[in-house]
Amino acid sequence: MLDKNIINSLLTAQKNEITENIIYSKLSEVIKDSKNKDILRRIASEELKHYNIFKEYTNKDVKPDKLKILKYWFISRVLGLTFGIKLLEKGEKNAGINYGNLSQFLPIFKDIVKDENGHEKELIGLIDEERLKYIRSMVLGLNDALIELMGVLAGLTFAFKNTRLIAMVGLITGMAGALSMAASEYLSTKSEEGNKNPLKAAIYTGSVYIFTMLILVFPYLIFSSMYLSVGLMVFDAILMIYICTFYISVAKDISFKERFFEMSLISLGVAVLSFIIGILIKKLLNIQI
């Protein structure tokens, strides 16, 4: 006779397995790539196998978590298959579903632990997704836009003291920078040996650059206070760095904190330095705007 706490843990794990089985099954139905479709079906099969093992001990059918299914199906479709699946696996660990503890009482769960930590992880690593090939291009566009435009906008904030004028110069500078970065990425990718399309790499870089530019310039278009505008611009930049770093850390299995703080310090450092340079140049040239 199993302890009540163990039964509850089994039921929690059982619900998790059937939920993930349905998530992977639903994703496999809408994914066009045959290789990725096959991988998702294999993972779904593993989850169903685990569910049936748990059922042998609980003697109960457990209903899936419909909200979780909808949530991760949506995330995977919008933000990418790899990101959605890895976020799902990460959430499983954070939820405290510890198959290792269960294996202390029921040795058969050692096999499930191997599946969860090994086989399924290997399968997830085999997923081939186009957008992950171009993460470097997207990060390049984001980094360059943040560093260049934060510097430009911060420098102009004190030099001009006119948010509309600053926004106009920022938009012109940003569009020129986006075209320049896209062209550079096209030529760079074309000279590399690999399976990346130079035109797609350029589009990814330019698009992210333009999007970042619009986010940074937006406060200057809305508010007349230059200090409020520069403050919101910095806030927007940090928020974008956070979102981008979180996405990459999940999709690529890299450290979040180190990358986030490094990128934030560089961007903010350039902004502060540019602000000081704007003050010095205005005083040196004695220009009144």
Side-chain angles (χ1 to χ4, degrees):
M1 187 72 178
L2 293 175
D3 181 83
K4 185 179 179 180
N5 291 331
I6 296 176
I7 291 293
N8 289 334
S9 296
L10 289 172
L11 288 170
T12 299
Q14 189 178 344
K15 183 173 185 175
N16 182 70
E17 296 295 340
I18 194 60
T19 299
E20 292 192 2
N21 165 261
I22 295 174
I23 292 172
Y24 290 125
S25 297
K26 283 186 174 291
L27 287 173
S28 71
E29 292 172 1
V30 295
I31 296 298
K32 294 180 180 179
D33 185 88
S34 57
K35 177 187 174 184
N36 290 342
K37 187 185 290 287
D38 181 58
I39 290 170
L40 290 172
R41 284 173 176 169
R42 287 166 64 188
I43 299 175
S45 177
E46 292 284 344
E47 303 291 4
L48 184 59
K49 183 179 75 173
H50 297 162
Y51 171 83
N52 288 325
I53 291 174
F54 291 131
K55 186 179 175 181
E56 290 178 9
Y57 290 92
T58 62
N59 295 313
K60 291 182 180 179
D61 283 312
V62 178
K63 291 183 179 180
D65 186 335
K66 293 183 179 180
L67 187 61
K68 186 177 179 180
I69 292 170
L70 181 63
K71 173 186 173 182
Y72 284 101
W73 186 90
F74 179 78
I75 289 174
S76 298
R77 296 295 290 153
V78 174
L79 298 178
L81 185 61
T82 304
F83 176 80
I85 291 175
K86 288 190 175 182
L87 188 65
L88 175 63
E89 296 298 319
K90 205 179 196 67
E92 179 181 311
K93 292 177 183 177
N94 293 336
I97 300 171
N98 194 326
Y99 297 141
N101 288 341
L102 290 174
S103 65
Q104 295 177 11
F105 304 97
L106 301 167
I108 192 174
F109 291 112
K110 289 181 180 179
D111 294 332
I112 296 179
V113 173
K114 288 181 181 179
D115 285 342
E116 294 289 339
N117 295 335
H119 190 199
E120 288 181 10
K121 193 172 182 179
E122 287 178 17
L123 289 174
I124 292 171
L126 292 174
I127 292 175
D128 182 22
E129 191 171 16
E130 180 182 274
R131 75 183 69 192
L132 290 184
K133 295 178 183 178
Y134 297 96
I135 273 189
R136 174 193 164 277
S137 299
M138 290 187 280
V139 171
L140 180 66
L142 176 70
N143 285 352
D144 206 68
L146 285 172
I147 292 172
E148 286 186 9
L149 291 177
M150 281 187 73
V152 168
L153 293 172
L156 294 176
T157 295
F158 190 85
F160 287 173
K161 292 187 177 181
N162 183 317
T163 55
R164 288 281 178 169
L165 185 58
I166 295 168
M168 182 187 72
V169 175
L171 288 171
I172 294 171
T173 304
M175 287 305 301
L179 293 173
S180 175
M181 284 301 301
S184 297
E185 181 64 2
Y186 176 85
L187 295 173
S188 175
T189 305
K190 196 170 185 179
S191 66
E192 295 174 357
E193 293 184 4
N195 59 351
K196 289 199 297 184
N197 184 306
L199 182 59
K200 284 186 178 181
I203 291 172
Y204 274 110
T205 299
S207 298
V208 172
Y209 194 109
I210 291 172
F211 178 76
T212 305
M213 171 197 70
L214 293 174
I215 295 295
L216 295 179
V217 171
F218 186 72
Y220 290 91
L221 292 170
I222 302 299
F223 302 103
S224 59
S225 169
M226 66 174 190
Y227 294 110
L228 177 60
S229 296
V230 76
L232 289 174
M233 182 264 290
V234 171
F235 174 79
D236 289 344
I238 293 175
L239 182 62
M240 289 191 68
I241 292 171
Y242 181 90
I243 294 171
C244 177
T245 306
F246 178 72
Y247 181 90
I248 295 171
S249 67
V250 173
K252 288 287 190 177
D253 292 319
I254 61 175
S255 171
F256 168 80
K257 288 183 180 179
E258 182 179 339
R259 194 178 186 92
F260 172 73
F261 285 118
E262 179 184 41
M263 197 168 168
S264 297
L265 285 173
I266 292 173
S267 298
L268 293 176
V270 170
V272 171
L273 185 61
S274 299
F275 189 83
I276 294 172
I277 291 173
I279 296 173
L280 294 175
I281 290 177
K282 186 175 181 181
K283 287 187 175 181
L284 181 65
L285 300 179
N286 195 28
I287 297 174
Q288 300 298 323
I289 298 178

